[in-house]
């Protein structure tokens, strides 16, 4: 009789994909932290070189500026930190790479939100300061100008408190 032998070669094991997914999650979380810190710095009147606190339009009318947006961003950073805990190597043979991939999708979505918040804050900062600068310093760089004008076209001028979620989306 003929004997048939079988060797798996380990191709069923998902760690080869799970480990890079985990590294990408950690890297994107680092970017999330940096984006949130930049947003925070724009909102903090002690760190923003004279911008009004929270980038508020008129605090006498209870305008919170982008403070709530930054809080929402900070919550997403905290979530990304949890989601970036490596999922690989949780079991002996079968990796948890599929869980890592699901977490990666959420980390990416959270990073997109954080970058949107940062862009809103930066746009507001430019709106506040541009006319106060000497004329020779008002001109934005080519890329910054394109981004700024695109965002302004989508949002219009900031006139006070608005539903921040809509702006972020």
């Amino acid at each position: 009789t003929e004997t048939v032998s079988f060797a798996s070669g380990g191709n069923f094991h998902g760690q080869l994909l799970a480990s890079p997914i985990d590294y990408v999650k950690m890297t994107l979380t680092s970017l999330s932290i940096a984006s949130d810190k930049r947003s925070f710095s724009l909102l903090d009147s002690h760190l923003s070189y004279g911008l009004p606190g929270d980038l508020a339009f008129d605090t006498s009318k209870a305008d919170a500026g982008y403070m709530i947006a930054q809080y929402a961003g900070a919550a997403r950073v905290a979530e990304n930190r949890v989601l970036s805990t490596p999922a690989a190597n949780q079991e002996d043979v079968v990796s948890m790479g599929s869980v890592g991939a699901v977490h990666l999708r959420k980390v990416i979505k959270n990073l997109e939100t954080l970058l949107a918040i940062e862009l809103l804050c930066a746009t507001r900062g430019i709106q506040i300061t541009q006319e106060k600068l000497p004329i020779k310093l008002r001109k934005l760089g080519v890329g910054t100008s394109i981004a700024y004008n695109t965002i302004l076209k989508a949002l219009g001028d900031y006139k006070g408190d608005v539903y921040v979620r809509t702006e972020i989306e």
Side-chain angles (χ1 to χ4, degrees), residues 25-40:
K25 289 188 306 182
M26 289 184 275
T27 301
L28 294 180
T29 295
S30 293
L31 292 174
S32 299
I33 293 166
S35 177
D36 182 58
K37 294 302 178 194
R38 287 188 298 265
S39 295
F40 177 82

Side-chain angles (χ1 to χ4, degrees), residues 39-54:
S39 295
F40 177 82
S41 293
L42 284 166
L43 297 175
D44 187 316
S45 59
H46 299 291
L47 301 173
S48 64
Y49 300 96
L51 290 171
D54 300 322

